[in-house]
Amino acid sequence: MATYVALLNWTDQGVRNYKDTAERAEAFAAGAQKLGAKLLSIYWTVGPYDLVAVVEAPDDETATATLLQLGGVGNVRTTTLRAFGQEEMVRIIAKAG
């Protein structure tokens, strides 16, 4: 499974409903699971992003569908990064020669 780091910022709607953020995270995890992805961790952060989520998915399409579903609710905007673990990086380097 591939790993994705999603940097999340609350929309105006998300900030207005900040008291529901923990429940929304649970709903995101459940929705991800239904699509074949998994929310590995989520952090509420201070700085340029309001939350950081680490998601595992079998492919880019599943990850994209999962994060589109999340963004479609209207509480956050996402910036998603494909992350490579150490073993994956070793294989990539080997391919590069």
Side-chain angles (χ1 to χ4, degrees), residues 48-62:
Y49 297 98
D50 298 312
L51 301 99
V52 175
V54 181
V55 176
E56 201 172 60
D59 50 50
D60 290 346
E61 292 83 4
T62 302

Side-chain angles (χ1 to χ4, degrees), residues 72-83:
V73 176
N75 292 307
V76 293
R77 287 186 194 87
T78 65
T79 300
T80 306
L81 310 166
R82 170 64 166 93

Side-chain angles (χ1 to χ4, degrees), residues 15-63:
V15 171
R16 278 193 306 274
N17 299 314
Y18 72 91
K19 291 181 182 180
D20 299 332
T21 188
E23 291 81 14
R24 292 194 313 248
E26 290 175 13
F28 172 47
Q33 189 170 7
K34 287 180 184 176
L35 292 172
K38 182 176 181 182
L39 176 62
L40 298 178
S41 56
I42 189 163
Y43 301 97
W44 286 260
T45 58
V46 175
Y49 297 98
D50 298 312
L51 301 99
V52 175
V54 181
V55 176
E56 201 172 60
D59 50 50
D60 290 346
E61 292 83 4
T62 302

